[in-house]
Amino acid sequence: MTTDQKRFLDEWISFLKIPSVSADNAYKKDVEIAAQWVKDALKNAGCPQTEIIKTSGHPIVYGECLVDSNYPTVLVYGHYDVQPPDPIDLWESPPFEPVIKTTSLHPQGAVFARGACDDKGQVFMHIKALEVMLSQGPLKCNIKFMIEGEEEVGSDNLEDFVKANKEKLKCDIILISDTGMISQKQPSISTGLRGLSYMEVTITGPNRDLHSGLYGGSVANPINVLCEMISKLHDENQRVTIPGFYDRVEELSQEERLEMAKAPFDLNDFKSSIGITDIRGESGYNNEERRTIRPTLDVNGIWGGYTGEGAKTVIASKAQAKISMRLVPDQEWNEISELFTEHFKSLAPKGVTVDVIKHHGGYAYVTPTETIGYKAAHYAYLDTFGIAPIPSRGGGSIPIVPMFEKELGVKSILMGFGLDSDAIHSPNEHFGLFNFFKGIETIPRFYEHYISLFKKKTTEFN
Ligand code: BES
Ligand code: MN
Ligand code: MN
C-alpha cells in the first residue's frame, strides 16, 4: 500500500466509526456528525464550495467544483446514512468498530463495518477520486456532490429538495456508486434498479390476548389468519396473486434474455454462498431473471403473540407483518400499493379486522447503454480492470434515481464496486480493499472519457 492509500484507508475507517443510522432517532446526533464529516472531507479533498443543507429530517451535504460553464457537469450522488446494525449478536466484530480481515473473495482484505460498502465506502471513493484528480491539475469538468442522509429511509426530504432546486442541481449526467458488480474478475455496470412498494399489515381479533385453552377453537386466531392470508399471496407457480399485479410489467424480448444469460453465473456457487440447498421462484424464469427483471413479494418481518422463553398458551389479539414488493418497469408503485391493500383485505375471514399502511415506495429504473455516460463508464472499467464490463440489471432499489430522471431529466450512471457477498444490510457487512482502491482508480477514468466523449458529441452537433 502506498502512503496515500494508507491515509485513505485510515480516513475511511474514521468515517465508518460514526454510527449514522438514519432509521433510529437515537442516532440523530451521529447522523449530523457524519454529515459534518463528509463536508469536511470534501473540503479537504479540494472542493471549494461545500455546505450542509438542513431538512426536516437528516441533512444533505452539498459541494460544488465549478470550473467553466462550457464544461460538462457531473452530479455525484450517494448516501452517508446506514442501515441499523441489528441483529448485533451476529456481528463477529462490533458494527462501528471497523476491522480489516481477509475472506476467500477478498484475499487482500476487506473492512468490516456497517456502511463499509453501502454506501459510506463507495461515497468516500468519490471524495478521494476528486482529491487524486485535483492533484493532477485543474478539472476539465464541473462536479457537484449531493450526499444525503436519508436514502435508507426513503429519501423523502431529498425528493422535496430536488424539486425545489432544479437550477442548482443542473447537470449533464449523474454518477452514483451505490450498487455492485459481478466479481473482481468481471466488472459490470448496473443498467437497472427495481422499484419498491413497502406495506405493513395488522390483523386484529379479540380485544385482548386470550387463554388458548378456554377460547381456542372458537375464535379466529390473528396469527393463524395472517399466515393463511400471506400464504395466499403466491400461487403454486410462485406468481403473485394480486389481481392486476402483472398488468404493466414489461416483458423482455427473447433476445434481451439471451443477452442477460451471457453473464457468468454459477448456480452451485450461488446456493452455497448463502447456504441454501435449492432455489425457488417464479416459473418460467431463471434465477438471475427472478431477482432482477421480475417483480416479487416478500414478508420482511412478522410478529405477534408470545416469543419469550419457554411456552405460554395464548391467542394473541394482534398479528403484524411488513411486506415489500420489488417492482419492475412499468409498474406504478402507488397503484401496486392500492391493489395490494384491496386484495389483502379481501383475503380476511370473518371475525378479524385488517389494517394496511403504506410505507415508502419508488419506481424501477433502466439506463440505456448507447449514451456517452454509459460508454464513459464502460471505457473506465476497461482501462482499470483490463476487461470489458457487462451491463447488468440489478435487483435492489434506489428510488431517488428514477426521481432524478423525472425531475431533472437526467440519467444516472451506476458505477457500483460492491459484491453481492459484501453482506450489505446484514451483520458483518464489508467492502474489499481491492474494490475500494479500484473504485478510486476507475472514477477519474470515467471523468476523462466522459469529457472527451462530451466534446466529441458537441462538436459533431455544431
Ligand atoms: N444501495 C442500496 C441499493 C442497491 C444495492 C441497489 C445493491 C443495487 C445493488 C440502497 O442503499 C438500498 O438499500 N435501497 C433500499 C431501498 C430504500 C428505499 C430503503 C433497498 O433496495 O431495499
Ligand atoms: Mn445504498
Ligand atoms: Mn442500503
Side-chain angles (χ1 to χ4, degrees), residues 79 83 118 151-152 425:
H79 62 96
Q83 283 279 326
D118 184 12
E151 195 278 338
E152 300 291 9
H425 295 206

Side-chain angles (χ1 to χ4, degrees), residues 79 118 151-152 178-179 193 196 326 360 396-399 424-425:
H79 62 96
D118 184 12
E151 195 278 338
E152 300 291 9
D178 191 23
T179 54
L193 295 165
L196 187 68
R326 293 284 167 174
H360 50 249
S397 309
I398 312 177
I424 63 171
H425 295 206

Side-chain angles (χ1 to χ4, degrees), residues 188-410:
S188 57
I189 301 171
S190 309
T191 49
L193 295 165
R194 284 194 285 191
L196 187 68
S197 164
Y198 203 109
M199 316 296 293
E200 185 167 331
V201 299
T202 305
I203 308 296
T204 308
N207 60 8
R208 60 180 168 89
D209 289 6
L210 304 173
H211 188 291
S212 66
L214 293 181
Y215 292 93
S218 64
V219 296
N221 176 328
I223 301 178
N224 293 14
V225 166
L226 176 59
C227 294
E228 186 185 307
M229 289 166 74
I230 288 172
S231 76
K232 290 183 180 155
L233 294 173
H234 289 95
D235 68 13
E236 65 284 5
N237 295 316
Q238 289 304 307
R239 279 173 69 88
V240 176
T241 54
I242 300 169
F245 186 77
Y246 293 96
D247 282 3
R248 296 184 198 268
V249 168
E250 175 200 64
E251 290 288 340
L252 264 66
S253 66
Q254 206 49 35
E255 212 183 350
E256 287 169 303
R257 291 175 70 183
L258 285 172
E259 196 55 42
M260 263 185 84
K262 286 186 190 158
F265 174 73
D266 185 294
L267 190 56
N268 286 325
D269 286 352
F270 177 83
K271 288 192 282 192
S272 67
S273 74
I274 50 173
I276 55 168
T277 52
D278 211 347
I279 54 167
R280 190 174 197 223
E282 188 184 353
S283 307
Y285 296 91
N286 68 33
N287 191 70
E288 294 309 278
E289 291 169 341
R290 288 170 182 170
R291 62 187 193 119
T292 58
I293 59 161
R294 298 300 297 167
T296 59
L297 182 150
D298 278 292
V299 179
N300 294 250
I302 182 162
W303 66 103
Y306 184 69
T307 56
E309 210 179 306
K312 179 188 177 192
T313 48
V314 65
I315 294 173
S317 161
K318 281 182 197 305
Q320 290 173 277
K322 293 188 193 275
I323 299 175
S324 71
M325 289 162 280
R326 293 284 167 174
L327 310 178
V328 299
D330 298 306
Q331 286 177 299
E332 291 279 338
W333 72 270
N334 270 308
E335 182 184 57
I336 293 293
S337 304
E338 293 302 324
L339 292 175
F340 172 89
T341 306
E342 208 176 302
H343 180 61
F344 196 71
K345 286 187 170 168
S346 80
L347 296 175
K350 282 186 195 144
V352 297
T353 56
V354 181
D355 290 292
V356 180
I357 46 177
K358 241 202 256 185
H359 287 280
H360 50 249
Y363 290 94
Y365 176 76
V366 180
T367 191
T369 54
E370 298 81 35
T371 62
I372 62 166
Y374 184 88
K375 284 184 182 145
H378 174 96
Y379 291 125
Y381 283 95
L382 186 57
D383 285 349
T384 57
F385 286 78
I387 298 161
I390 296 179
S392 144
R393 294 270 293 259
S397 309
I398 312 177
I400 203 72
V401 171
M403 227 280 294
F404 285 149
E405 180 169 21
K406 182 163 170 267
E407 299 299 330
L408 304 174
V410 183

Side-chain angles (χ1 to χ4, degrees), residues 106-125:
H106 296 290
Q108 301 170 27
V111 175
F112 282 72
R114 169 59 84 230
C117 173
D118 184 12
D119 183 34
K120 284 163 140 181
Q122 301 209 65
V123 161
F124 194 56
M125 292 180 327

